[in-house]
Amino acid sequence: EDGNVDAGKAMGLYGLGQIGKGMWAKPDAMAAMLHEKSGHPLTGANTAWVPSPTAACLHSLHYFQVSSKECFEKRKRGPWCVSGSAPGGLFRVPVACSASAEVETKLLALGGIEEVTSEVREAAQAILGYVSRWVQLGVGCSKVPDLRNVELMEDRATLRINAQLLANWKLHGVVTENELRATLVEMAEVVDAQNAKDKQYESMIVNGQVRGDGGKGQIAFETAVSLIWTGEEAPNGYTEEVLHQGRRRVKSVVAGSPAVM
């Protein structure tokens, strides 16, 4: 995000376009957002994402309190933003000295096995939490509880990010297919528990196994898996085709007629 502002300064973008900061993803934590998100205009950014109209109104107050233009003009360009060169400090590409060290090198570059395991669990749970409601109930952008049961804004953009993360790590051997499948089953049980009070929701897991009855729960799980396993071929990583196939399958099950794919 600092790179966005540095690049905007290098290009003389202020007043001509949006120089952005990231999303506040907790729709129910407005007091915390009001306290913390003032940091965005203080860095010189002139726009930022918020999860609701209420959040937008509150965040607009920050731009009355802080002159983002003055902050932008006072900002010194970051060390990575050098005219005519790539952002060298922004990316860290894993490089192995031998084939046998390849996976270990990737894991170390990504923060170690514990960090990778945590990221895989978080991404898998977020995918299943969003997809299960989208496919089963037709609910799109909404609050989805994370592993700590904090409700976060999830939509097809966050779904795309998480699905592409896991597809990429599977492709490059950071996580194996078996490890990923086991994590998806584990996280599906978590998502089922989080939706247990919703009478329209059908669980994805029964007795530790993915449902095999062809119902809404099984279709939801298979859709989430498909987003990851077909992620390498998906144009730009878009999720719409797989999501709509899953939703059509559920509608056909409810209607008792074959799905038109």
Side-chain angles (χ1 to χ4, degrees):
E1 292 184 4
D2 283 338
N4 289 345
V5 184
D6 290 338
K9 188 171 182 67
M11 296 170 64
L13 193 58
Y14 199 95
L16 300 175
Q18 294 180 334
I19 301 174
K21 284 285 185 173
M23 164 67 80
W24 180 267
K26 303 175 183 177
D28 295 333
M30 291 294 96
M33 187 204 74
L34 195 60
H35 174 70
E36 295 179 29
K37 209 168 173 67
S38 60
H40 288 180
L42 283 169
T43 64
N46 63 8
T47 186
W49 302 110
V50 289
S52 67
T54 299
C57 292
L58 291 172
H59 182 46
S60 69
L61 298 175
H62 295 137
Y63 294 91
F64 288 98
Q65 298 166 344
V66 176
S67 171
S68 62
K69 184 177 182 180
E70 288 183 9
C71 294
F72 180 81
E73 291 172 346
K74 292 177 182 177
R75 183 183 178 91
K76 294 181 179 179
R77 286 167 59 186
W80 71 267
C81 189
V82 180
S83 179
S85 67
L90 195 58
F91 303 109
R92 181 174 55 172
V93 179
V95 178
C97 14
S98 69
S100 61
E102 185 175 357
V103 172
E104 182 180 355
T105 302
K106 290 173 183 175
L107 290 173
L108 289 173
L110 293 167
I113 186 64
E114 291 184 2
E115 182 70 19
V116 168
T117 300
S118 176
E119 288 284 344
V120 170
R121 295 177 83 249
E122 294 268 2
Q125 189 270 343
I127 291 169
L128 289 159
Y130 179 78
V131 169
S132 61
R133 295 182 61 77
W134 204 105
V135 169
Q136 290 197 43
L137 309 176
V139 176
C141 178
S142 61
K143 294 186 290 187
V144 176
D146 66 4
L147 278 173
R148 292 165 292 281
N149 286 313
V150 175
E151 292 193 324
L152 302 179
M153 193 288 298
E154 297 286 349
D155 58 15
R156 281 180 294 182
T158 58
L159 173 66
R160 179 186 178 198
I161 292 167
N162 286 318
Q164 284 297 296
L165 168 70
L166 295 185
N168 183 281
W169 283 6
K170 181 174 75 70
L171 173 66
H172 292 285
V174 175
V175 59
T176 68
E177 290 194 7
N178 288 339
E179 290 169 340
L180 192 48
R181 284 188 181 277
T183 301
L184 285 164
V185 171
E186 178 193 358
M187 293 300 102
E189 289 192 278
V190 172
V191 171
D192 285 347
Q194 291 172 329
N195 288 278
K197 294 182 180 180
D198 190 334
K199 294 181 180 179
Q200 293 182 294
Y201 178 92
E202 182 176 276
S203 66
M204 295 177 280
I205 305 297
V206 176
N207 297 325
Q209 302 292 325
V210 179
R211 297 182 78 110
D213 56 6
K216 296 190 298 183
Q218 180 182 346
I219 294 170
F221 185 85
E222 289 174 352
T223 301
V225 171
S226 181
L227 283 165
I228 301 166
W229 260 253
T230 64
E232 187 183 351
E233 294 82 32
N236 295 311
Y238 288 129
T239 61
E240 283 76 3
E241 182 178 358
V242 174
L243 280 175
H244 283 281
Q245 286 178 354
R247 181 63 182 150
R248 283 195 292 268
R249 287 177 63 195
V250 165
K251 285 184 174 182
S252 72
V253 167
V254 173
S257 59
V260 179
M261 306 305 286

